Amino acid sequence: MTDLRFTNDIVAAAAAIRAGELVAFPTETVYGLGADATSQTALRKIFTAKGRPADHPLIVHFSSIPAAQKWAFSWNISENLLANTFWPGPMTLIVKRASHVSDAVTGGQDTVGLRVPSHPVALALLRAAGVPIAAPSANKFGHVSPTRAQHVASEFGDELQTILVGADADECEVGVESTIIDCTVSPVRILRPGRISAADIERVLGFAPQTNMKSESAPRVSGSLASHYAPRTRTLLKNAQTFSAVQVTGKIGTLTFTVIPNFAGTHLTKMKIPAAQIEHDLYADLRELDAAGLDEIWVEAPPMGEAWEAVWDRVSRASVRERIPEFVTFTHARLAAVNLRIRHAEASDEPFVYATRVAAMRAHIEKKWGWDEKLQQQFHRHRWLAKNWFLICEHNLPIGTFCLDRSGSNLQFGEFYLAPPHQRRGIGSHILTTSLAFADSFSLTTHLEYLKWNPVNTLYARHGFVPVHESDTHVFLSRTQRLID
């Protein structure tokens, strides 16, 4: 490497850390942007360089478990088992902070994230510096994380003077950030998926961790925002069939895992490649597409399964929800008259949508097939990402949900669910009428797909829908509006 910012001089890099300067260095996950975690002045430089919000907490890196324990208020059995099993390695533990830990590290919270990395260069830097190093990923805030030294250099230009590299391969071994485990609750809770899986944690602790990453009680942690790890090029998450059933305009780049696109473009196809290799390649692939001068990047929704949890998390945050443009803003006199409002569902609405769907489906599924919570959560995530979800609100409180998607020149209306208290109020038909009026204002023909055991199904016949075909679980209907002068 000829770039003068690149160095393998551990002693000089450690001296820069102690002097309050920033140093980018490799870990087994991604490159970190490091500063002395005990220096307020040095920590401020991280936030300035990245453009990072001041309340967004940092992860602190240590050379050993005993060094990390000094930053925790207490150290329980779960923390001890996890640390002794997975450190050094790609795991961050969230614990109650010790009294000396500054708000600049924690974002003002009473918790702190601790990690002992396994990369030999990172460990050598920590030992030589003699201080813990706070280090988020070495990229501008919200952008794709770097897994190579050149990625870091392209992010910061002349803002960063020291980029530490190893004697061996430049690339980070894992390729996505560490698994974050909240040890302040029981059972422990995964706040960010990574290479260490829920099954790995269960094998060590003897019980399964919680996986409700979006719980309102969870601490703020790195990588938890709805939009993160994102290319600067508009990036969309697409179902597999999109890549063979669509005509495209403009310059499109794709990243696919199970299909080969049938249209011209810049395609990165990763078929028959293990999830761990996809993790390793993901950020480099997104950066390659981002640099290709494209109008859009399309990423195929990854396969289901625990091995793909980290990939799912990263691509869902890197992509934007594809919305029907006409629906970005809307007002409807009929909605105002009945105190009902329809709005796009946001990331924070996902728990309500999931709970409402489960309330409608669980009894039937449990009776017929048995209920598998993890499988249902994975299925829900797939539906959540693939569709345009809307919330029906009464006096601004959500009472139901549905999704609406383009199907050629028509609309696909479906997954209409009411929260259980409202199913018994006798207003289902009124709410459905309002929702359909909203859909009808944009299309002459509306198609409908519904689960046979959805409690609101009896309403559809009253609204002019006729059956088209059905499967074991779903009925497909269509309705054409009457054109009125």
Side-chain angles (χ1 to χ4, degrees):
M1 298 180 180
T2 57
D3 193 314
L4 296 179
R5 292 168 294 178
F6 299 148
T7 180
N8 58 10
D9 189 338
I10 297 289
V11 173
I17 290 287
R18 291 193 300 272
E21 300 303 322
L22 299 181
V23 173
F25 63 97
T27 76
E28 71 279 14
T29 57
V30 299
Y31 265 78
L33 183 64
D36 180 354
T38 67
S39 166
Q40 298 287 323
T41 301
L43 291 171
R44 280 196 293 271
K45 291 180 181 180
I46 291 179
F47 291 93
T48 300
K50 282 181 64 76
R52 185 182 180 94
D55 65 349
H56 210 56
L58 301 169
I59 294 172
V60 186
H61 296 68
F62 301 86
S63 61
S64 67
I65 294 175
Q69 288 174 320
K70 294 177 182 177
W71 281 54
F73 177 77
S74 61
W75 198 258
N76 62 33
I77 294 174
S78 292
E79 291 152 359
N80 205 47
L81 287 169
L82 290 168
N84 280 290
T85 303
F86 298 119
W87 279 350
M91 175 188 71
T92 295
L93 296 182
I94 302 298
V95 299
K96 293 295 184 182
R97 76 190 217 186
S99 58
H100 70 272
V101 180
S102 74
D103 285 346
V105 168
T106 68
Q109 301 177 112
D110 64 353
T111 56
V112 62
L114 313 176
R115 180 160 112 78
V116 178
S118 63
H119 195 292
V121 172
L123 286 173
L125 175 65
L126 284 158
R127 290 165 184 153
V131 294
I133 295 177
S137 57
N139 53 273
K140 294 295 185 178
F141 184 71
H143 193 220
V144 182
S145 300
T147 55
R148 300 172 185 169
Q150 189 57 52
H151 296 166
V152 180
S154 66
E155 285 283 319
F156 292 103
D158 294 335
E159 295 178 71
L160 183 62
Q161 298 304 312
T162 306
I163 302 174
L164 194 58
V165 297
D168 298 323
D170 175 36
E171 297 181 14
C172 299
E173 178 186 357
V174 175
V176 295
E177 295 81 357
S178 60
T179 303
I180 297 181
I181 306 171
D182 179 8
C183 294
T184 67
V185 294
S186 183
V188 300
R189 171 172 49 192
I190 295 177
L191 297 182
R192 180 176 69 188
R195 178 60 57 86
I196 295 170
S197 68
D200 295 330
I201 297 167
E202 184 174 359
R203 279 192 290 271
V204 172
L205 299 182
F207 54 82
Q210 302 178 62
T211 55
N212 53 332
M213 294 178 281
K214 297 185 179 181
S215 170
E216 292 183 1
S217 64
R220 295 189 309 278
V221 295
S222 297
S224 60
L225 298 180
S227 178
H228 217 65
Y229 317 116
R232 294 185 173 91
T233 306
R234 174 179 164 85
T235 301
L236 302 174
L237 195 60
K238 300 274 191 177
N239 284 329
Q241 57 266 33
T242 303
F243 296 89
S244 59
V246 69
Q247 292 183 341
V248 301
T249 57
K251 292 185 287 185
I252 305 297
T254 68
L255 175 58
T256 59
F257 313 114
T258 66
V259 297
I260 299 175
N262 71 346
F263 53 86
T266 302
H267 303 308
L268 300 181
T269 302
K270 302 284 182 171
M271 296 179 68
K272 299 182 180 179
I273 294 178
Q277 186 64 41
I278 299 296
E279 286 181 9
H280 174 272
D281 298 345
L282 180 62
Y283 290 147
D285 289 342
L286 289 175
R287 282 179 172 273
E288 179 180 339
L289 291 170
D290 202 18
L294 303 169
D295 296 318
E296 289 183 343
I297 299 169
W298 293 3
V299 180
E300 180 190 354
M304 294 295 184
E306 185 174 69
W308 292 88
E309 281 291 310
V311 177
W312 259 110
D313 178 76
R314 301 323 190 266
V315 298
S316 64
R317 297 181 195 276
S319 60
V320 297
R321 188 73 49 80
E322 186 175 23
R323 295 185 169 186
I324 300 170
E326 303 98 315
F327 296 167
V328 173
T329 58
F330 47 79
T331 56
H332 200 295
R334 293 178 66 179
L335 300 185
V338 295
N339 293 316
L340 289 178
R341 184 168 69 95
I342 294 174
R343 64 171 174 83
H344 272 292
E346 304 295 342
S348 59
D349 298 316
E350 185 180 359
F352 171 81
V353 173
Y354 178 67
T356 306
R357 292 182 73 242
V358 167
M361 299 186 299
R362 179 161 187 158
H364 183 92
I365 293 177
E366 202 162 29
K367 181 178 178 181
K368 191 165 184 177
W369 296 292
W371 184 264
D372 184 326
E373 181 69 23
K374 185 176 292 185
L375 181 64
Q376 290 300 324
Q377 287 178 347
Q378 290 175 343
F379 176 73
H380 166 75
R381 182 178 297 177
H382 182 77
R383 303 288 283 185
W384 171 258
L385 292 171
K387 292 183 172 291
N388 286 288
W389 288 90
F390 294 83
L391 255 62
I392 307 159
C393 299
E394 185 177 38
H395 301 293
N396 292 324
L397 296 176
I399 63 172
T401 186
F402 65 90
C403 54
L404 201 58
D405 295 277
R406 281 287 183 201
S407 177
S409 60
N410 302 318
L411 290 180
Q412 181 83 21
F413 178 95
E415 303 243 20
F416 175 65
Y417 302 104
L418 295 176
H422 305 285
Q423 293 171 11
R424 293 183 286 274
R425 285 177 53 192
I427 61 172
S429 182
H430 176 65
I431 294 174
L432 181 59
T433 300
T434 305
S435 302
L436 287 170
F438 169 64
D440 288 346
S441 63
F442 300 102
S443 177
L444 295 180
T445 301
T446 301
H447 301 294
L448 173 68
E449 168 194 359
Y450 71 80
L451 288 165
K452 290 182 177 180
W453 51 84
N454 188 339
V456 300
N457 290 343
T458 55
L459 300 175
Y460 294 130
R462 306 178 199 170
H463 290 82
F465 283 97
V466 296
V468 178
H469 66 275
E470 64 179 89
S471 67
D472 290 341
T473 57
H474 289 76
V475 177
F476 299 86
L477 306 175
S478 184
R479 184 184 74 158
T480 301
Q481 292 175 241
R482 294 186 179 89
L483 296 180
I484 301 174
D485 293 334

